[in-house]
Amino acid sequence: MKANEPLPERPPEDRRQVKARRTREALAEAAVELVLERGLGAVTVEAIAERADVTRRTFSRHFSGKEDAALDFTRADGARINAALRARPESEPPLLAYRGAVADWLADHESPGWHHRPRLRELYAAVDEEPALFAAYERIRVDAQDESVRIIADRLGTDPARDLRPEVVVGAAAGVLTAALRAWARGTDKDATDLAALVATAYDALVGEAARATATVTGVPSENSASRE
């Protein structure tokens, strides 16, 4: 896809798809509300289904457990980052393309990400404290990153099973995003820290450290390393 070329329009959903999506969103929202109100250990699948006004069986059609439901927003945003990654200009180096995709996601005001929702910072912070939430988050994160690797491999025209570059790029870029999110989550609701600014700072740190490492190996000072001296 060329730069500035509009994203292809999604095919319209039929009535059944719309109903299923809304049911899933209602269950996910109910799971988030209950986990924040009661704590993960005190929440049951039945309580989530009741809050969303659906049956236990309906819950099981959408989610494997309460942790999966509470973290469904991360799965949706991972898919949006990957969609933005596919749409980045083909001329961009992979690391820059991933950084641009994250920036596009953060700047999307028409469909704002989960980080704009009330108390979601609190839920994200709980991921580090609740082993079950952390395990569910890791499964979702790995799935999203696997897709990112496939996208980067396609951009490079290579086989990720034989070429480490896609895995390395995604591992580094996604790791930077995770570091910024964890720093953001450690803030408070009164903290004015801007997530987009944190992400930009984190990516700058990665690029700066890579430049310094390259300068050390090659013996050629980089702009970043020279500015530190």
Side-chain angles (χ1 to χ4, degrees), residues 29 48 77 90 103 115 123 150 162 176 181-182 185 198 215:
E29 191 70 28
I48 295 172
D77 282 345
E90 295 179 2
H115 51 283
L123 181 62
R150 288 189 286 270
R162 301 189 179 192
V176 166
L181 285 169
R182 293 185 71 184
L198 274 174

Side-chain angles (χ1 to χ4, degrees), residues 7-15 17-18 21:
L7 292 174
E9 294 185 3
R10 295 180 181 178
E13 295 177 300
D14 62 28
R15 185 174 299 179
Q17 289 174 320
V18 170
R21 175 174 56 78

Side-chain angles (χ1 to χ4, degrees), residues 2 15 28 30-31 45 71 78 89 98 100 102 108-109 115 131 173 179 185 188 190 192 198 206 216 219 229:
K2 298 179 181 179
R15 185 174 299 179
V45 167
L71 293 174
Y98 194 100
V102 171
D108 184 358
H109 297 295
H115 51 283
T188 66
K190 295 181 180 179
L198 274 174
L206 173 65
T216 300
E229 295 176 356

Side-chain angles (χ1 to χ4, degrees), residues 210-222 225:
R212 293 179 64 197
T214 300
T216 300
V217 171
T218 63
V220 178
S222 68
S225 61

Side-chain angles (χ1 to χ4, degrees), residues 94-95 98 145 148-150 152-153 156 158 160 162-176 203 206 210:
L95 183 59
Y98 194 100
Q145 289 185 203
S148 298
V149 168
R150 288 189 286 270
I152 294 296
L156 294 173
T158 191
R162 301 189 179 192
D163 187 342
L164 281 176
R165 288 179 298 165
E167 191 85 45
V168 169
V169 167
V170 172
V176 166
Y203 275 113
L206 173 65

Side-chain angles (χ1 to χ4, degrees), residues 45-186:
V45 167
E46 288 75 15
I48 295 172
E50 182 178 354
R51 175 71 65 92
D53 196 25
V54 299
T55 65
R56 172 68 168 79
R57 185 175 180 180
T58 297
F59 177 96
S60 297
R61 285 203 296 267
H62 291 276
F63 298 109
S64 60
K66 58 186 180 181
E67 300 86 1
D68 190 40
L71 293 174
D72 193 51
F73 61 90
T74 64
R75 181 182 291 103
D77 282 345
R80 290 169 61 195
I81 290 172
N82 280 330
L85 180 58
R86 291 188 189 92
R88 296 300 301 176
E90 295 179 2
S91 59
E92 285 185 337
L95 183 59
L96 183 59
Y98 194 100
R99 178 177 182 169
V102 171
D104 291 342
W105 164 64
L106 289 169
D108 184 358
H109 297 295
E110 292 185 5
S111 301
W114 59 268
H115 51 283
H116 290 293
R117 303 172 197 169
R119 297 189 70 190
L120 261 293
R121 188 199 311 248
E122 182 181 340
L123 181 62
Y124 194 89
V127 169
D128 279 343
E129 302 170 1
E130 292 279 1
L133 273 179
F134 181 79
Y137 177 80
E138 284 297 289
R139 287 194 300 272
I140 294 169
R141 181 187 62 79
V142 168
D143 287 345
Q145 289 185 203
D146 284 348
E147 180 61 18
S148 298
V149 168
R150 288 189 286 270
I151 296 169
I152 294 296
D154 287 343
R155 291 174 67 94
L156 294 173
T158 191
D159 180 0
R162 301 189 179 192
D163 187 342
L164 281 176
R165 288 179 298 165
E167 191 85 45
V168 169
V169 167
V170 172
V176 166
L177 176 59
T178 297
L181 285 169
R182 293 185 71 184
W184 174 80
R186 288 193 294 268

